[in-house]
C-alpha cells in the first residue's frame, strides 16, 4: 500500500495562485478551503516528483446557494487552476458543502467544470439518465462490490474525466475507493517488472458477453442495452436490429460473435500501460483488476466462464490471447485494493476524477444509496508508447457525438 503521509495544506486552504482565481466572499475570504481527507496518500509515494495529498479536499467556508456554487466552480475552471490542482493532487478532487440536492442540481454543478459531455459506446453497467449528462452510477446489486477499474478502460473510447455526487446516503457501507493508476504502474515496475513489460508489449484482451435479457449483475446490461441505441423496437425486425447493433459495436471493435442463444460476445484488445500527459507519468489503465475480481468472486475462472449470477465473467488475458499468471493478477488486484483511499460520502459531495490517472471502485452497502455519475471528454490527456500505438492501429475508434438520451445537454 502507498505510504500515508500527513497532508501539507496551505493555511489559506489553496495555493496562492488558485486563491486569486477562486470566487471570494464579501469579507474577501475564499469560498472554499482545503481539508484533510481521511486516509489520504502522498503523491511522492506514487513516484511523482512532488508531495501533495491524494485526494485534495475542498469545502465551502460558508453556506452557498446553487447559483453561487456553479459560478465559483465555473470561474475556477476557466482560470486553469482546477486542472493544475487536479494534476498536483494525483487527479482527484473532493468538493464538500455544495447545495446539491437533486440530479438537476448536480448536472448544473458538473457542467460548470467546462468539459464536453461524453457519449458512451457499449454499456456493460446498467444506468438510468436522470438529468443532462447525469446518470445513476452502476445499478448492480448493492451487496456486490465493484472492483477497481478505469472507466471504459477496456475500450478504445473512454472519458477523460468523471464526476460523481452523493444525493442519498446508505445506512452503512457504500464508500467509493479511489486508487492512483500512477501508483499501480510504479509498484508494478518495482514488484513485477516482467508482468509490466508484458502488459506494455501485448496489451490486454477483454471479452464481454451480453445476454438477450438484462441480468441481476454488476456487469450487466443486455445486447440492446449496450448497443441498441439506434434500434427501433416497433419498426426493426431482428435482421435490421442486428445490423444496427453491429454498426455500434464496430465503433470500437471488429471482433464480435453472435451465439445461438442470441447473446453477443465482443472482444477488445487495447493498451494497458500508457502515458499520462499532464504528469508524463506511466499509468496502468484498464479493467484487468475488475475483470479478475469478478471472475474470482463469481467462480467463473474456467470455461465457459458463466458465474453464479448467470452472467459471463471471462478472466482477462494478454492481447495475444495468452493467459496471465494468477499470481500476477492477484498482485495487481491487491495493489489496487490496498492502495485505495475510501471516499466516505456526505450528502451533496462532488468528486472530480481524472480517469487516466485514477481508478475507482465501490463497496457494498445496506439501505438506500444514490450516487450519480457524469462522464466527460477532454482531448490530449493520454498518449501511448510505441507498443500501444501498434495495438491501437488494429482497433477502431469512432466515438459517438450525438446526445446520449433524451435528457442530454
Amino acid at each position: 500500500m502507498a505510504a500515508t503521509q500527513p497532508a501539507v495544506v496551505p493555511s489559506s486552504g489553496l495555493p496562492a495562485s488558485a486563491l486569486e482565481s477562486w470566487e471570494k466572499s464579501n469579507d474577501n475570504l475564499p469560498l472554499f478551503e482545503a481539508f484533510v481527507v481521511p486516509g489520504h496518500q502522498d503523491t511522492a509515494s506514487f513516484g511523482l516528483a512532488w508531495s501533495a495529498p491524494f485526494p485534495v479536499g475542498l469545502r465551502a467556508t460558508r453556506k452557498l446557494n446553487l447559483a453561487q456554487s456553479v459560478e465559483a466552480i465555473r470561474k475556477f475552471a476557466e482560470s486553469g487552476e482546477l486542472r493544475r490542482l487536479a494534476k498536483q493532487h494525483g487527479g482527484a478532487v473532493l468538493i464538500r458543502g455544495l447545495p446539491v440536492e437533486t440530479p438537476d442540481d448536480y448536472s448544473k454543478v458538473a457542467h460548470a467544470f467546462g468539459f464536453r459531455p461524453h457519449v458512451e459506446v457499449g454499456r456493460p453497467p446498467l444506468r438510468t439518465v436522470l438529468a443532462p449528462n447525469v446518470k445513476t452510477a452502476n445499478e448492480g446489486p448493492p451487496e456486490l462490490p465493484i472492483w477497481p477499474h478505469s472507466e471504459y478502460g477496456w475500450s478504445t473510447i473512454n472519458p477523460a474525466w468523471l464526476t460523481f455526487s452523493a444525493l442519498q446516503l446508505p445506512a452503512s457501507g457504500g464508500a467509493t475507493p479511489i486508487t492512483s493508476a500512477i501508483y499501480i504502474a510504479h509498484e508494478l515496475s518495482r514488484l513485477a517488472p516482467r508482468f509490466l513489460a508484458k502488459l506494455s508489449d501485448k496489451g490486454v484482451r477483454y471479452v464481454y458477453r451480453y445476454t438477450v435479457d438484462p441480468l441481476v449483475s454488476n456487469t450487466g446490461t443486455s445486447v440492446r442495452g449496450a448497443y441498441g441505441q439506434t434500434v427501433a423496437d416497433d419498426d426493426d425486425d431482428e435482421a435490421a436490429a442486428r445490423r444496427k447493433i453491429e454498426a455500434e459495436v464496430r465503433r470500437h471493435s471488429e471482433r464480435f460473435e453472435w451465439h445461438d442463444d442470441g447473446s453477443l460476445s465482443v472482444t477488445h484488445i487495447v493498451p494497458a500501460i500508457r502515458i499520462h500527459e499532464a504528469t508524463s507519468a506511466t499509468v496502468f489503465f484498464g479493467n484487468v483488476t475488475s475483470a479478475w475480481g469478478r471472475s474470482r468472486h463469481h467462480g467463473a475462472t474456467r470455461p465457459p466462464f458463466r458465474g453464479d449470477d448467470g452472467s459471463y465473467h471471462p478472466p482477462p488475458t494478454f492481447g495475444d490471447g495468452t493467459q496471465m499468471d494468477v499470481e500476477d493478477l492477484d498482485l495487481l488486484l491487491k495493489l489496487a485494493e490496498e492502495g485505495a483511499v475510501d471516499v466516505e460520502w456526505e450528502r451533496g459531495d462532488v468528486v472530480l476524477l481524472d480517469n487516466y490517472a485514477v481508478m475507482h471502485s465501490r463497496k457494498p452497502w445496506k439501505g438506500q444509496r444514490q450516487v450519480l455519475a457524469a462522464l466527460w471528454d477532454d482531448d490530449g490527456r493520454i498518449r501511448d508508447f510505441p507498443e500501444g500505438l501498434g495495438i491501437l492501429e488494429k482497433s477502431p475508434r469512432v466515438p459517438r457525438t450525438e446526445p446520449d438520451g433524451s435528457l442530454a445537454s
Side-chain angles (χ1 to χ4, degrees):
M1 178 176 176
T4 299
Q5 302 291 337
V8 179
V9 181
S11 58
S12 59
L14 289 171
S17 58
L19 287 175
E20 292 171 1
S21 305
W22 195 266
E23 184 74 10
K24 295 182 180 180
S25 60
N26 292 334
D27 54 8
N28 207 36
L29 294 176
L31 295 183
F32 292 84
E33 63 182 2
F35 72 94
V36 175
V37 177
H40 70 275
Q41 298 173 1
D42 187 342
T43 57
S45 68
F46 304 163
L48 292 174
W50 60 88
S51 177
F54 167 88
V56 63
L58 305 176
R59 64 183 165 210
T61 58
R62 64 182 178 89
K63 188 173 182 179
L64 303 174
N65 62 35
L66 185 64
Q68 290 170 328
S69 301
V70 169
E71 183 66 6
I73 290 174
R74 183 187 66 79
K75 288 184 177 180
F76 192 52
E78 289 179 351
S79 74
E81 289 295 340
L82 177 66
R83 292 172 186 268
R84 191 197 64 77
L85 193 70
K87 170 187 172 180
Q88 179 184 3
H89 293 275
V93 181
L94 165 61
I95 304 177
R96 180 157 287 168
L98 300 179
V100 176
E101 298 181 354
T102 69
D104 192 60
D105 291 345
Y106 168 48
S107 178
K108 291 174 181 176
V109 169
H111 276 84
F113 289 116
F115 305 123
R116 298 193 317 275
H118 175 81
V119 183
E120 294 177 272
V121 174
R123 290 184 290 197
L126 180 63
R127 307 185 198 268
T128 301
V129 179
L130 297 178
N133 203 45
V134 167
K135 302 177 182 180
T136 53
N138 191 314
E139 295 179 17
E143 68 273 11
L144 293 178
I146 294 177
W147 288 268
H149 63 284
S150 310
E151 193 72 11
Y152 282 87
W154 47 269
S155 173
T156 58
I157 302 172
N158 23 72
W161 297 93
L162 314 175
T163 56
F164 296 96
S165 186
L167 269 61
Q168 186 174 7
L169 305 180
S172 63
T176 297
I178 59 173
T179 307
S180 170
I182 300 171
Y183 159 72
I184 291 180
H186 177 68
E187 289 298 287
L188 284 179
S189 70
R190 186 175 67 87
L191 299 173
R194 292 181 61 185
F195 182 41
L196 179 69
K198 286 184 178 180
L199 287 171
S200 180
D201 291 344
K202 299 181 178 183
V204 176
R205 181 187 189 97
Y206 300 97
V207 180
Y208 285 90
R209 185 166 175 175
Y210 303 92
T211 53
V212 175
D213 299 314
L215 295 169
V216 181
S217 167
N218 278 341
T219 58
T221 186
S222 62
V223 174
R224 293 198 181 194
Y227 293 107
Q229 291 86 346
T230 63
V231 174
D233 292 334
D234 295 335
D235 299 326
D236 290 332
D237 60 18
E238 187 61 28
R242 284 201 174 192
R243 285 195 298 271
K244 290 183 176 181
I245 288 168
E246 290 175 6
E248 284 298 304
V249 172
R250 286 192 172 97
R251 289 182 179 275
H252 61 173
S253 179
E254 293 287 352
R255 307 172 181 93
F256 58 89
E257 177 185 3
W258 291 97
H259 301 280
D260 291 342
D261 62 359
S263 62
L264 173 68
S265 291
V266 183
T267 299
H268 308 267
I269 302 175
V270 293
I273 306 301
R274 311 185 74 180
I275 304 169
H276 183 241
E277 186 65 36
T279 60
S280 297
T282 299
V283 293
F284 170 79
F285 182 77
N287 294 56
V288 175
T289 41
S290 56
W292 178 238
R294 285 195 309 271
S295 295
R296 201 170 61 174
H297 180 84
H298 291 292
T301 58
R302 297 178 181 275
F305 308 119
R306 191 160 193 168
D308 55 12
D309 61 346
S311 191
Y312 292 91
H313 306 284
T317 65
F318 290 114
D320 61 2
T322 56
Q323 297 296 317
M324 297 182 187
D325 290 341
V326 169
E327 293 79 7
D328 288 332
L329 289 168
D330 285 343
L331 171 64
L332 184 59
L333 184 56
K334 180 180 180 181
L335 289 173
E337 291 183 328
E338 294 186 358
V341 177
D342 286 353
V343 175
E344 299 285 359
W345 292 104
E346 293 188 11
R347 193 166 187 266
D349 281 354
V350 173
V351 167
L352 171 68
L353 298 181
D354 181 337
N355 189 40
Y356 296 122
V358 184
M359 304 176 76
H360 64 283
S361 51
R362 188 196 75 186
K363 290 189 172 181
W365 75 86
K366 294 182 179 179
Q368 298 297 315
R369 175 186 187 266
Q370 187 180 44
V371 173
L372 304 184
L375 282 55
W376 308 94
D377 287 334
D378 189 17
D379 298 334
R381 297 198 60 80
I382 195 73
R383 56 189 169 94
D384 287 282
F385 293 101
E387 298 86 348
L389 292 173
I391 293 168
L392 290 174
E393 286 179 354
K394 303 173 185 177
S395 299
R397 184 181 184 277
V398 185
R400 295 178 67 213
T401 56
E402 69 276 15
D404 184 12
S406 60
L407 294 177
S409 58

